[in-house]
Amino acid sequence: MAASNINVATVQQAIPPIPVPSQWWCRWQALKGTNPRHLKPPEADLRNKWVLLTGGNSGIGFEAAAQFVKWGANIVLGCRPQVPPHEMHPDEAIQQLKAASIAAGHPKAGIEWWECDMNSLKSVEAFGKRWISMGRPLDILANNAGIGGPLVPGEVCYTADGFEIVHQVNFISHVLLSMMLLPSLAQATQPRIICTTSCMQYFGVFDLANANSGRNAYPNNKLYFQTWLTELQARMENHAKYKHIMIQGVHPGYVKTNIWVAPQSTTSENTTQQNTRPPKTRFMSWLEWSLRVLLRYYGIDPQQGSLAITNAAAAADLASGSRYTNRIWEEKPMPQTMHPACRHQVWQFVSEELLLEDRGLLTELGA
């Protein structure tokens, strides 16, 4: 299942020339992500709706969950059972969410957490199967869990599945979960898939050889995630069973959350560290420095960042088509995300990585 089985050279040969935006355009688009305007959540009624949200025990995920329960939603958080000191334990998160739901007048809402460690494909698959076994339609899937970088800065960390950790946690684990839950989403009347991508996609380099290398891992995988979800939407629109499902990538803003905390304490049995140090370029040094400056002067709090997720879940004008939004405002994503050949190649690449055909998850949308 490891990425080394993928013939990247063959995949890349099929990609025709694509528009390459200028660095100035990319930087300008990324700077739009710094908009710190204070926003109010939309009005919504999610009573009798079911939400699955990964990474919901801290940061923008917890704040989004808090808004969902205030709207009356039933919610299941997908969380790691072992959390680092800077994160709230899922048990505490659930207690706070239940209190918020009761205070909002929804004492009977279902609120719980299930184990879902994005470092482990086995854990993600078990989480998806557990939901499917409930036999309920799924109204909202929020693919939110993520990390800011490798466990040890400057080193490459691989999961037990053989994938570089940022590639797996921020991208392909969400692909696996989404593909597993499509039939359940299809049973809902207005289902939505919300993916926390990022304006960092504008600093990504579309070169599938870098997907698992650890180089520029965060921007690259956000670019691939936005590209993949656009291809998924196109395939669903051509299938009667799935064409009513909306999928969207969202940039929450430059949010001051613990995703940027040095995560050495998150090492688990599902990860291994290697003394492989990808070369740091001047570009990456400039990027890291810029992020610190932007967070300092334009950073918003997690509640404001969470509105990207809750708005995508509730706004009526986002009911169809794949989109990318900077907080709540629609923006142009990187051109590769809209390029048919690039979309196809990312789809093929990740499908082979995850053995989606062998898992029986490409029978309807794989052609």
Side-chain angles (χ1 to χ4, degrees):
M1 190 177 296
S4 58
N5 295 329
I6 309 301
N7 190 334
V8 174
T10 301
V11 171
Q12 290 178 305
Q13 288 174 2
I15 302 179
I18 59 175
V20 179
S22 70
Q23 288 192 8
W24 290 112
W25 183 84
C26 291
R27 291 176 182 178
W28 172 245
Q29 290 298 110
L31 281 173
K32 289 182 180 180
T34 64
N35 190 327
R37 177 180 168 186
H38 188 84
L39 303 172
K40 293 183 179 181
E43 298 294 328
D45 183 355
L46 296 187
R47 287 175 295 177
N48 301 316
K49 303 293 186 181
W50 279 93
V51 178
L52 292 189
L53 188 151
T54 62
N57 60 303
S58 66
I60 65 172
F62 175 75
E63 295 294 339
Q67 185 61 65
F68 285 140
V69 300
K70 290 175 184 177
W71 286 338
N74 305 292
I75 192 166
V76 175
L77 304 184
C79 306
R80 295 175 293 177
Q82 303 296 328
V83 298
H86 57 265
E87 289 188 12
M88 188 190 315
H89 192 276
D91 287 339
E92 174 62 23
I94 292 302
Q95 291 305 311
Q96 292 192 26
L97 293 176
K98 286 182 176 179
S101 181
I102 293 171
H106 309 295
K108 296 183 179 180
I111 302 172
E112 55 187 313
W113 77 273
W114 299 348
E115 179 177 343
C116 186
D117 187 346
M118 309 306 278
N119 286 335
S120 166
L121 296 181
K122 181 179 179 181
S123 177
V124 173
E125 193 167 28
F127 179 80
K129 288 180 177 179
R130 183 175 178 180
W131 172 262
I132 292 169
S133 70
M134 305 297 286
R136 296 183 180 127
L138 177 59
D139 299 281
I140 298 168
L141 170 62
N143 290 316
N144 170 70
I147 58 175
L151 298 180
V152 178
E155 296 186 2
V156 178
C157 176
Y158 291 93
T159 69
D161 298 300
F163 299 106
E164 191 273 325
I165 190 169
V166 176
H167 179 58
Q168 178 163 333
V169 173
N170 288 10
F171 178 30
I172 64 173
S173 285
H174 294 299
V175 171
L176 176 59
L177 184 59
S178 299
M179 294 300 290
M180 291 185 67
L181 296 179
L182 282 180
S184 182
L185 286 155
Q187 295 175 37
T189 55
Q190 293 183 313
R192 300 189 180 193
I193 305 173
I194 300 148
C195 304
T196 303
T197 56
S198 175
C199 73
M200 294 305 292
Q201 66 178 278
Y202 299 111
F203 296 119
V205 177
F206 196 96
D207 176 0
L208 290 171
N210 66 31
N212 260 301
S213 69
R215 294 177 175 84
N216 206 32
Y218 190 88
N220 290 343
N221 281 284
K222 292 300 185 180
L223 173 60
Y224 298 140
F225 199 5
Q226 185 69 40
T227 305
W228 178 85
L229 69 85
T230 307
E231 177 64 12
L232 174 59
Q233 183 74 72
R235 290 171 182 255
M236 291 192 299
E237 288 175 351
N238 289 321
H239 197 292
K241 181 178 178 181
Y242 301 115
K243 64 180 181 181
H244 65 301
I245 302 175
M246 184 278 288
I247 184 168
Q248 181 179 179
V250 300
H251 166 61
Y254 283 80
V255 189
K256 297 177 181 179
T257 72
N258 54 32
I259 192 176
W260 306 116
V261 174
Q264 286 92 332
S265 59
T266 64
T267 305
S268 72
E269 62 182 6
N270 296 321
T271 62
T272 58
Q273 296 173 16
Q274 296 187 9
N275 293 322
T276 305
R277 296 179 180 272
K280 287 191 175 183
T281 65
R282 290 179 60 191
F283 171 77
M284 278 303 295
S285 297
W286 171 86
L287 178 58
E288 292 166 352
W289 177 85
S290 299
L291 279 174
R292 291 194 207 94
V293 172
L294 292 171
L295 283 169
R296 179 178 180 181
Y297 293 102
Y298 297 98
I300 58 177
D301 63 40
Q303 185 275 333
Q304 283 291 293
S306 72
L307 297 184
I309 297 173
T310 55
N311 181 76
D317 60 345
L318 299 179
S320 63
S322 65
R323 299 169 185 248
Y324 165 71
T325 57
N326 166 25
R327 301 191 70 195
I328 66 170
W329 305 289
E330 187 170 359
E331 275 293 346
K332 290 183 178 180
M334 281 286 275
Q336 295 95 328
T337 69
M338 307 301 295
H339 193 277
C342 291
R343 288 168 20 206
H344 175 75
Q345 296 307 321
V346 170
W347 179 273
Q348 178 184 349
F349 184 79
V350 73
S351 296
E352 292 179 8
E353 283 189 312
L354 292 170
L355 303 178
L356 293 183
E357 185 172 4
D358 293 347
R359 295 177 186 270
L361 298 177
L362 289 181
T363 56
E364 296 175 310
L365 298 176

